[in-house]
Amino acid sequence: QQQVKQSPQSLIVQKGGISIINCAYENTAFDYFPWYQQFPGKGPALLIAIRPDVSEKKEGRFTISFNKSAKQFSLHIMDSQPGDSATYFCAALGGTSYEKLTFGQGTILTVHP
Amino acid sequence: NAGVMQNPRHLVRRRGQEARLRCSPMKGHSHVYWYRQLPEEGLKFMVYLQKENIIDESGMPKERFSAEFPKEGPSILRIQQVVRGDSAAYFCASSPSLADLAGNEQFFGPGTRLTVL
């Protein structure tokens, strides 16, 4: 059962634009929602994470928006740069499976110069 | 502080051979996780281990796959009698002890890319 659904599958943005990636989850016991960035040939690296007690978290150009009632959260990348081109994964953790991350399918982001 | 280390980075095996993937967690981390990433898919949890104990292996195939995290040395993911469907990137992650798990963060290694011919 797919517990975290991510969209879009791929995204093309012009330099300076805003990239938005969305995720929806099913398990209401999840209580930690990280976003990972993965470059080709590399492992995922934590980008930013949020807990459900806040609706938004911002770190530099990266913002997570969280809607607990809708069970949705999204990543916004402001002023997107070519160096942001990577695959982005949302994930969730919590409930009875407190230690295993459940990942979304990933979004391939391409930022054109 | 070195990050999570995995070796080999690339591994080629013929069908029926064994694959052994190694993971050294970050210093001070006592929790290890293995994930598998099939082409163009997200990561799927396989197994969670602490020193000398398998805590959760709910994502591990029942046959041919095993994992260990001995008291001394790296964690090992072992795949016996590999088949072409085992071709994937295998990632190891580690985290501090639960007492220090304030951020729930798992730190990932660079992965081992297994190709089965």
Side-chain angles (χ1 to χ4, degrees):
Chain A
Q1 180 185 8
Q2 180 63 42
Q3 293 192 329
V4 179
K5 294 183 178 180
Q6 183 173 347
S7 63
Q9 200 169 6
S10 62
L11 180 62
I12 298 174
V13 174
Q14 291 297 123
K15 179 181 176 182
I18 302 174
S19 304
I20 302 174
I21 305 171
N22 301 298
C23 283
Y25 62 97
E26 299 171 4
N27 187 346
T28 55
F30 286 145
D31 63 1
Y32 176 71
F33 301 90
W35 284 89
Y36 284 85
Q37 180 187 57
Q38 184 181 31
F39 293 104
K42 305 291 186 183
L46 180 67
L47 192 61
I48 186 172
I50 197 168
R51 293 191 180 278
D53 53 345
V54 296
S55 60
E56 185 175 283
K57 183 174 182 180
K58 183 176 181 179
E59 290 184 0
R61 295 185 294 110
F62 301 91
T63 300
I64 299 179
S65 296
F66 187 83
N67 186 329
K68 188 175 181 178
S69 61
K71 294 188 287 185
Q72 295 175 346
F73 58 110
S74 60
L75 176 69
H76 296 234
I77 306 175
M78 311 300 288
D79 187 25
S80 299
Q81 299 296 313
D84 296 331
S85 298
T87 300
Y88 292 81
F89 294 98
C90 62
L93 186 152
T96 56
S97 301
Y98 196 70
E99 297 301 329
K100 69 183 178 189
L101 287 163
T102 300
F103 282 87
Q105 300 95 318
T107 297
I108 300 172
L109 171 65
T110 303
V111 181
H112 286 314
Chain B
N1 188 11
V4 177
M5 299 175 67
Q6 290 187 249
N7 67 80
R9 295 293 306 278
H10 300 273
L11 183 61
V12 179
R13 286 287 179 264
R14 296 191 180 278
R15 281 180 295 169
Q17 292 184 319
E18 179 180 289
R20 290 172 69 88
L21 287 61
R22 295 174 185 77
C23 169
S24 296
M26 288 180 68
K27 186 176 181 181
H29 288 192
S30 57
H31 298 225
V32 166
Y33 317 80
W34 286 93
Y35 293 83
R36 177 165 64 175
Q37 185 177 32
L38 294 170
E40 299 183 6
E41 291 189 15
L43 285 79
K44 296 287 195 291
F45 169 83
M46 298 182 73
V47 61
Y48 159 44
L49 311 101
Q50 296 178 21
K51 285 285 187 181
E52 300 184 279
N53 285 300
I54 297 174
I55 307 301
D56 181 350
E57 57 181 348
S58 59
M60 193 103 92
K62 299 299 181 192
E63 298 179 351
R64 303 187 297 109
F65 286 72
S66 62
E68 62 177 14
F69 189 16
K71 186 176 181 180
E72 300 292 337
S75 175
I76 306 287
L77 178 67
R78 183 183 178 202
I79 311 173
Q80 294 178 291
Q81 300 175 345
V82 296
V83 300
R84 288 208 173 119
D86 296 333
S87 295
Y90 292 83
F91 291 96
C92 168
S94 72
S95 66
S97 64
L98 278 176
D100 300 321
L101 208 61
N104 294 90
E105 182 173 355
Q106 294 182 16
F107 296 81
F108 283 81
T112 293
R113 278 144 186 88
L114 172 65
T115 301
V116 179
L117 301 177

